Short mmCIF file of all heavy atoms in Angstrom, two decimals:
data_model
loop_
_atom_site.label_atom_id
_atom_site.label_comp_id
_atom_site.label_asym_id
_atom_site.label_seq_id
_atom_site.Cartn_x
_atom_site.Cartn_y
_atom_site.Cartn_z
N GLU F 391 75.57 -5.35 75.44
CA GLU F 391 76.30 -6.60 75.27
C GLU F 391 75.87 -7.66 76.25
O GLU F 391 76.13 -8.84 76.06
CB GLU F 391 77.80 -6.33 75.43
CG GLU F 391 78.38 -5.52 74.27
CD GLU F 391 79.85 -5.23 74.47
OE1 GLU F 391 80.33 -5.51 75.59
OE2 GLU F 391 80.51 -4.74 73.55
N ASP F 393 72.76 -8.21 77.08
CA ASP F 393 71.38 -8.64 76.80
C ASP F 393 71.39 -9.96 76.08
O ASP F 393 72.34 -10.31 75.39
CB ASP F 393 70.65 -7.60 75.95
CG ASP F 393 70.53 -6.28 76.68
OD1 ASP F 393 70.61 -6.32 77.93
OD2 ASP F 393 70.36 -5.25 76.03
N GLU F 394 70.31 -10.69 76.21
CA GLU F 394 70.17 -11.96 75.51
C GLU F 394 69.76 -11.70 74.07
O GLU F 394 69.21 -10.67 73.73
CB GLU F 394 69.12 -12.85 76.19
CG GLU F 394 69.50 -13.23 77.61
CD GLU F 394 68.48 -14.17 78.20
OE1 GLU F 394 67.80 -14.86 77.44
OE2 GLU F 394 68.37 -14.20 79.43
N ILE F 395 70.06 -12.69 73.23
CA ILE F 395 69.64 -12.61 71.83
C ILE F 395 68.19 -13.01 71.77
O ILE F 395 67.84 -14.18 71.86
CB ILE F 395 70.49 -13.54 70.96
CG1 ILE F 395 71.96 -13.19 71.08
CG2 ILE F 395 70.05 -13.47 69.51
CD1 ILE F 395 72.86 -14.10 70.31
N GLN F 434 89.14 -16.24 72.78
CA GLN F 434 87.74 -16.60 72.97
C GLN F 434 87.57 -18.11 73.06
O GLN F 434 86.71 -18.60 73.81
CB GLN F 434 86.89 -16.03 71.82
CG GLN F 434 86.89 -14.52 71.73
CD GLN F 434 86.53 -13.86 73.05
OE1 GLN F 434 85.64 -14.31 73.77
NE2 GLN F 434 87.24 -12.78 73.38
N ASN F 437 88.52 -18.86 76.58
CA ASN F 437 87.51 -18.37 77.54
C ASN F 437 86.25 -19.23 77.51
O ASN F 437 85.66 -19.52 78.56
CB ASN F 437 87.16 -16.92 77.21
CG ASN F 437 88.32 -15.97 77.48
OD1 ASN F 437 89.26 -16.33 78.20
ND2 ASN F 437 88.27 -14.80 76.89
N LEU F 438 85.82 -19.62 76.31
CA LEU F 438 84.61 -20.45 76.20
C LEU F 438 84.85 -21.83 76.80
O LEU F 438 83.94 -22.41 77.41
CB LEU F 438 84.18 -20.56 74.74
CG LEU F 438 83.46 -19.33 74.19
CD1 LEU F 438 83.29 -19.44 72.68
CD2 LEU F 438 82.11 -19.14 74.85
N GLY F 439 86.05 -22.38 76.62
CA GLY F 439 86.37 -23.66 77.25
C GLY F 439 86.29 -23.57 78.76
O GLY F 439 85.73 -24.47 79.43
N LEU F 441 84.54 -21.38 80.37
CA LEU F 441 83.14 -21.13 80.72
C LEU F 441 82.36 -22.45 80.78
O LEU F 441 81.57 -22.66 81.71
CB LEU F 441 82.52 -20.18 79.70
CG LEU F 441 81.09 -19.70 80.00
CD1 LEU F 441 81.07 -18.85 81.26
CD2 LEU F 441 80.55 -18.89 78.82
N ILE F 442 82.58 -23.33 79.83
CA ILE F 442 81.89 -24.63 79.84
C ILE F 442 82.31 -25.44 81.06
O ILE F 442 81.47 -26.06 81.74
CB ILE F 442 82.19 -25.41 78.54
CG1 ILE F 442 81.58 -24.67 77.33
CG2 ILE F 442 81.65 -26.83 78.62
CD1 ILE F 442 80.09 -24.60 77.34
N ARG F 444 83.30 -24.25 83.88
CA ARG F 444 82.66 -23.64 85.05
C ARG F 444 81.20 -24.04 85.15
O ARG F 444 80.68 -24.29 86.24
CB ARG F 444 82.80 -22.12 84.98
CG ARG F 444 82.17 -21.39 86.15
CD ARG F 444 82.61 -19.93 86.19
NE ARG F 444 82.15 -19.20 85.02
CZ ARG F 444 80.95 -18.67 84.91
NH1 ARG F 444 80.06 -18.81 85.90
NH2 ARG F 444 80.60 -18.01 83.82
N PHE F 445 80.52 -24.12 84.00
CA PHE F 445 79.13 -24.57 84.01
C PHE F 445 79.02 -25.99 84.57
O PHE F 445 78.12 -26.28 85.38
CB PHE F 445 78.55 -24.54 82.59
CG PHE F 445 78.32 -23.16 82.06
CD1 PHE F 445 78.20 -22.94 80.69
CD2 PHE F 445 78.24 -22.07 82.91
CE1 PHE F 445 77.97 -21.66 80.19
CE2 PHE F 445 78.01 -20.79 82.43
CZ PHE F 445 77.89 -20.59 81.07
N LEU F 466 67.93 -23.83 82.40
CA LEU F 466 69.22 -23.71 83.05
C LEU F 466 69.79 -22.30 82.81
O LEU F 466 69.86 -21.86 81.65
CB LEU F 466 70.19 -24.76 82.51
CG LEU F 466 69.79 -26.22 82.75
CD1 LEU F 466 70.85 -27.16 82.18
CD2 LEU F 466 69.61 -26.51 84.24
N PRO F 467 70.18 -21.60 83.85
CA PRO F 467 70.69 -20.23 83.65
C PRO F 467 71.99 -20.19 82.84
O PRO F 467 72.31 -19.17 82.25
CB PRO F 467 70.90 -19.72 85.08
CG PRO F 467 71.02 -20.95 85.93
CD PRO F 467 70.17 -22.00 85.28
N SER F 468 72.71 -21.30 82.82
CA SER F 468 73.98 -21.31 82.09
C SER F 468 73.78 -21.09 80.59
O SER F 468 74.65 -20.52 79.92
CB SER F 468 74.71 -22.64 82.33
OG SER F 468 73.89 -23.72 81.92
N CYS F 469 72.63 -21.53 80.03
CA CYS F 469 72.44 -21.36 78.58
C CYS F 469 72.30 -19.88 78.24
O CYS F 469 72.81 -19.42 77.21
CB CYS F 469 71.23 -22.16 78.11
SG CYS F 469 69.64 -21.49 78.61
N ALA F 470 71.61 -19.11 79.10
CA ALA F 470 71.50 -17.68 78.86
C ALA F 470 72.87 -17.01 78.95
O ALA F 470 73.22 -16.14 78.14
CB ALA F 470 70.53 -17.05 79.85
N ASP F 471 73.67 -17.43 79.95
CA ASP F 471 75.02 -16.88 80.07
C ASP F 471 75.86 -17.18 78.83
O ASP F 471 76.62 -16.33 78.36
CB ASP F 471 75.70 -17.46 81.31
CG ASP F 471 75.00 -17.05 82.60
OD1 ASP F 471 74.24 -16.06 82.57
OD2 ASP F 471 75.18 -17.74 83.62
N LEU F 472 75.70 -18.39 78.30
CA LEU F 472 76.48 -18.78 77.12
C LEU F 472 76.12 -17.90 75.92
O LEU F 472 77.01 -17.38 75.23
CB LEU F 472 76.21 -20.25 76.79
CG LEU F 472 76.93 -20.79 75.55
CD1 LEU F 472 78.43 -20.81 75.76
CD2 LEU F 472 76.42 -22.19 75.21
N PHE F 473 74.83 -17.71 75.67
CA PHE F 473 74.44 -16.94 74.50
C PHE F 473 74.69 -15.45 74.68
O PHE F 473 74.93 -14.73 73.70
CB PHE F 473 72.97 -17.20 74.16
CG PHE F 473 72.76 -18.52 73.48
CD1 PHE F 473 72.22 -19.60 74.16
CD2 PHE F 473 73.12 -18.69 72.15
CE1 PHE F 473 72.03 -20.81 73.54
CE2 PHE F 473 72.92 -19.90 71.52
CZ PHE F 473 72.39 -20.97 72.21
N VAL F 474 74.65 -14.95 75.91
CA VAL F 474 75.03 -13.56 76.16
C VAL F 474 76.50 -13.36 75.83
O VAL F 474 76.90 -12.37 75.19
CB VAL F 474 74.73 -13.17 77.62
CG1 VAL F 474 75.42 -11.86 77.97
CG2 VAL F 474 73.23 -13.05 77.84
N TYR F 475 77.32 -14.33 76.22
CA TYR F 475 78.75 -14.24 75.90
C TYR F 475 78.97 -14.35 74.39
O TYR F 475 79.81 -13.67 73.81
CB TYR F 475 79.52 -15.34 76.63
CG TYR F 475 81.03 -15.17 76.57
CD1 TYR F 475 81.67 -14.32 77.45
CD2 TYR F 475 81.79 -15.82 75.61
CE1 TYR F 475 83.05 -14.14 77.39
CE2 TYR F 475 83.16 -15.65 75.54
CZ TYR F 475 83.79 -14.81 76.44
OH TYR F 475 85.15 -14.63 76.37
N TYR F 476 78.19 -15.22 73.76
CA TYR F 476 78.28 -15.35 72.30
C TYR F 476 77.96 -14.01 71.62
O TYR F 476 78.63 -13.60 70.68
CB TYR F 476 77.28 -16.41 71.81
CG TYR F 476 77.84 -17.82 71.78
CD1 TYR F 476 79.07 -18.11 72.35
CD2 TYR F 476 77.14 -18.86 71.20
CE1 TYR F 476 79.58 -19.40 72.34
CE2 TYR F 476 77.63 -20.15 71.18
CZ TYR F 476 78.85 -20.41 71.75
OH TYR F 476 79.36 -21.68 71.72
N LYS F 477 76.91 -13.36 72.08
CA LYS F 477 76.53 -12.08 71.47
C LYS F 477 77.62 -11.04 71.67
O LYS F 477 77.95 -10.29 70.75
CB LYS F 477 75.22 -11.58 72.06
CG LYS F 477 74.79 -10.25 71.46
CD LYS F 477 73.61 -9.66 72.17
CE LYS F 477 73.33 -8.26 71.61
NZ LYS F 477 72.20 -7.61 72.26
N LYS F 478 78.20 -11.02 72.86
CA LYS F 478 79.26 -10.06 73.13
C LYS F 478 80.43 -10.28 72.18
O LYS F 478 80.97 -9.33 71.59
CB LYS F 478 79.71 -10.20 74.58
CG LYS F 478 80.86 -9.30 74.97
CD LYS F 478 81.25 -9.53 76.42
CE LYS F 478 82.44 -8.66 76.80
NZ LYS F 478 82.87 -8.89 78.20
N CYS F 479 80.82 -11.55 72.01
CA CYS F 479 81.93 -11.86 71.10
C CYS F 479 81.57 -11.51 69.66
O CYS F 479 82.41 -10.97 68.92
CB CYS F 479 82.28 -13.35 71.20
SG CYS F 479 82.91 -13.86 72.81
N ILE F 498 84.30 -21.57 66.37
CA ILE F 498 84.43 -21.69 67.83
C ILE F 498 83.04 -21.82 68.46
O ILE F 498 82.81 -22.64 69.37
CB ILE F 498 85.18 -20.47 68.39
CG1 ILE F 498 86.59 -20.39 67.80
CG2 ILE F 498 85.25 -20.55 69.92
CD1 ILE F 498 87.46 -21.57 68.10
N PHE F 499 82.09 -21.02 67.98
CA PHE F 499 80.72 -21.10 68.49
C PHE F 499 80.17 -22.52 68.30
O PHE F 499 79.54 -23.09 69.21
CB PHE F 499 79.83 -20.10 67.77
CG PHE F 499 80.04 -18.67 68.20
CD1 PHE F 499 79.40 -17.64 67.54
CD2 PHE F 499 80.87 -18.36 69.26
CE1 PHE F 499 79.58 -16.32 67.93
CE2 PHE F 499 81.07 -17.05 69.66
CZ PHE F 499 80.42 -16.03 68.99
N GLN F 500 80.37 -23.07 67.13
CA GLN F 500 79.86 -24.42 66.86
C GLN F 500 80.46 -25.45 67.81
O GLN F 500 79.75 -26.33 68.32
CB GLN F 500 80.17 -24.81 65.40
CG GLN F 500 79.40 -24.01 64.37
CD GLN F 500 79.83 -24.32 62.96
OE1 GLN F 500 81.00 -24.19 62.61
NE2 GLN F 500 78.90 -24.76 62.14
N LYS F 501 81.74 -25.31 68.03
CA LYS F 501 82.44 -26.27 68.91
C LYS F 501 81.82 -26.28 70.30
O LYS F 501 81.50 -27.37 70.85
CB LYS F 501 83.92 -25.90 68.99
CG LYS F 501 84.71 -26.70 70.01
CD LYS F 501 86.15 -26.20 70.06
CE LYS F 501 86.93 -26.91 71.17
NZ LYS F 501 88.33 -26.39 71.26
N TYR F 502 81.59 -25.10 70.88
CA TYR F 502 81.11 -25.06 72.26
C TYR F 502 79.59 -25.20 72.37
O TYR F 502 79.10 -25.51 73.46
CB TYR F 502 81.62 -23.78 72.94
CG TYR F 502 83.11 -23.85 73.17
CD1 TYR F 502 84.00 -23.18 72.34
CD2 TYR F 502 83.64 -24.65 74.18
CE1 TYR F 502 85.37 -23.27 72.53
CE2 TYR F 502 85.01 -24.75 74.39
CZ TYR F 502 85.87 -24.06 73.55
OH TYR F 502 87.22 -24.16 73.74
N LEU F 503 78.88 -25.00 71.30
CA LEU F 503 77.46 -25.37 71.32
C LEU F 503 77.32 -26.89 71.44
O LEU F 503 76.46 -27.38 72.20
CB LEU F 503 76.77 -24.87 70.05
CG LEU F 503 76.42 -23.38 70.00
CD1 LEU F 503 75.87 -23.01 68.63
CD2 LEU F 503 75.39 -23.02 71.07
N ARG F 504 78.15 -27.60 70.71
CA ARG F 504 78.10 -29.07 70.82
C ARG F 504 78.54 -29.53 72.20
O ARG F 504 77.95 -30.44 72.79
CB ARG F 504 78.99 -29.69 69.73
CG ARG F 504 78.46 -29.52 68.32
CD ARG F 504 79.22 -30.37 67.33
NE ARG F 504 80.61 -29.97 67.24
CZ ARG F 504 81.10 -29.09 66.38
NH1 ARG F 504 80.28 -28.50 65.52
NH2 ARG F 504 82.38 -28.78 66.35
N GLU F 505 79.60 -28.89 72.73
CA GLU F 505 80.06 -29.28 74.07
C GLU F 505 78.99 -29.00 75.12
O GLU F 505 78.80 -29.79 76.05
CB GLU F 505 81.36 -28.54 74.40
CG GLU F 505 82.57 -29.07 73.67
CD GLU F 505 83.86 -28.66 74.35
OE1 GLU F 505 83.80 -28.18 75.51
OE2 GLU F 505 84.94 -28.85 73.74
N TYR F 506 78.32 -27.86 74.99
CA TYR F 506 77.27 -27.56 75.95
C TYR F 506 76.14 -28.59 75.86
O TYR F 506 75.60 -29.02 76.89
CB TYR F 506 76.71 -26.16 75.68
CG TYR F 506 75.70 -25.70 76.70
CD1 TYR F 506 76.09 -25.12 77.90
CD2 TYR F 506 74.34 -25.86 76.47
CE1 TYR F 506 75.17 -24.72 78.84
CE2 TYR F 506 73.40 -25.46 77.40
CZ TYR F 506 73.82 -24.89 78.59
OH TYR F 506 72.90 -24.50 79.53
N ALA F 507 75.81 -28.98 74.63
CA ALA F 507 74.73 -29.95 74.46
C ALA F 507 75.10 -31.29 75.10
O ALA F 507 74.26 -31.93 75.74
CB ALA F 507 74.42 -30.14 72.98
N ILE F 510 76.66 -30.44 79.35
CA ILE F 510 75.73 -29.83 80.31
C ILE F 510 74.36 -30.48 80.23
O ILE F 510 73.75 -30.79 81.26
CB ILE F 510 75.62 -28.31 80.07
CG1 ILE F 510 77.02 -27.67 80.05
CG2 ILE F 510 74.74 -27.66 81.14
CD1 ILE F 510 77.76 -27.83 81.35
N LEU F 511 73.87 -30.70 79.02
CA LEU F 511 72.51 -31.20 78.87
C LEU F 511 72.47 -32.73 78.89
O LEU F 511 71.96 -33.32 79.83
CB LEU F 511 71.89 -30.65 77.57
CG LEU F 511 71.82 -29.11 77.50
CD1 LEU F 511 71.16 -28.68 76.19
CD2 LEU F 511 71.07 -28.54 78.68
N THR F 556 65.57 -26.30 78.24
CA THR F 556 66.82 -25.62 77.90
C THR F 556 67.26 -25.95 76.49
O THR F 556 67.70 -25.07 75.74
CB THR F 556 67.91 -26.02 78.90
OG1 THR F 556 67.48 -25.73 80.24
CG2 THR F 556 69.20 -25.27 78.62
N TYR F 559 65.16 -24.00 74.11
CA TYR F 559 65.60 -22.60 74.08
C TYR F 559 66.89 -22.46 73.26
O TYR F 559 67.03 -21.54 72.44
CB TYR F 559 65.82 -22.11 75.50
CG TYR F 559 66.45 -20.74 75.60
CD1 TYR F 559 65.68 -19.59 75.52
CD2 TYR F 559 67.82 -20.59 75.76
CE1 TYR F 559 66.25 -18.33 75.60
CE2 TYR F 559 68.41 -19.34 75.84
CZ TYR F 559 67.62 -18.22 75.77
OH TYR F 559 68.19 -16.99 75.84
N CYS F 560 67.82 -23.40 73.47
CA CYS F 560 69.08 -23.35 72.73
C CYS F 560 68.84 -23.56 71.23
O CYS F 560 69.51 -22.94 70.40
CB CYS F 560 70.05 -24.42 73.25
SG CYS F 560 70.64 -24.10 74.94
N THR F 563 67.41 -20.27 69.87
CA THR F 563 68.39 -19.20 69.92
C THR F 563 69.55 -19.44 68.97
O THR F 563 70.12 -18.50 68.41
CB THR F 563 68.91 -19.03 71.37
OG1 THR F 563 67.81 -19.01 72.28
CG2 THR F 563 69.69 -17.74 71.51
N THR F 564 69.91 -20.72 68.76
CA THR F 564 70.97 -21.03 67.79
C THR F 564 70.54 -20.64 66.39
O THR F 564 71.35 -20.15 65.59
CB THR F 564 71.29 -22.54 67.85
OG1 THR F 564 71.71 -22.87 69.17
CG2 THR F 564 72.40 -22.89 66.87
N LEU F 567 70.97 -17.03 66.23
CA LEU F 567 72.40 -16.73 66.19
C LEU F 567 72.93 -16.88 64.77
O LEU F 567 73.73 -16.06 64.29
CB LEU F 567 73.15 -17.65 67.15
CG LEU F 567 74.68 -17.52 67.14
CD1 LEU F 567 75.10 -16.14 67.64
CD2 LEU F 567 75.31 -18.61 68.02
N PHE F 592 70.83 -30.30 69.44
CA PHE F 592 69.84 -29.94 70.46
C PHE F 592 68.52 -30.69 70.24
O PHE F 592 67.83 -31.03 71.20
CB PHE F 592 69.62 -28.44 70.47
CG PHE F 592 70.77 -27.65 71.01
CD1 PHE F 592 71.49 -26.79 70.21
CD2 PHE F 592 71.15 -27.79 72.34
CE1 PHE F 592 72.55 -26.06 70.71
CE2 PHE F 592 72.21 -27.07 72.86
CZ PHE F 592 72.93 -26.21 72.04
#
Side-chain angles (χ1 to χ4, degrees):
E391 291 178 350
D393 297 338
E394 298 183 25
I395 302 177
Q434 298 307 320
N437 292 342
L438 283 170
L441 186 64
I442 294 295
R444 180 167 64 83
F445 289 160
L466 298 181
S468 58
C469 73
D471 296 340
L472 178 66
F473 283 104
V474 166
Y475 191 83
Y476 271 9
K477 179 188 174 181
K478 178 181 178 181
C479 295
I498 299 299
F499 285 174
Q500 292 174 303
K501 172 183 175 182
Y502 290 102
L503 282 174
R504 291 191 296 268
E505 286 200 12
Y506 185 84
I510 307 299
L511 300 182
T556 304
Y559 172 84
C560 292
T563 313
T564 301
L567 176 65
F592 288 115

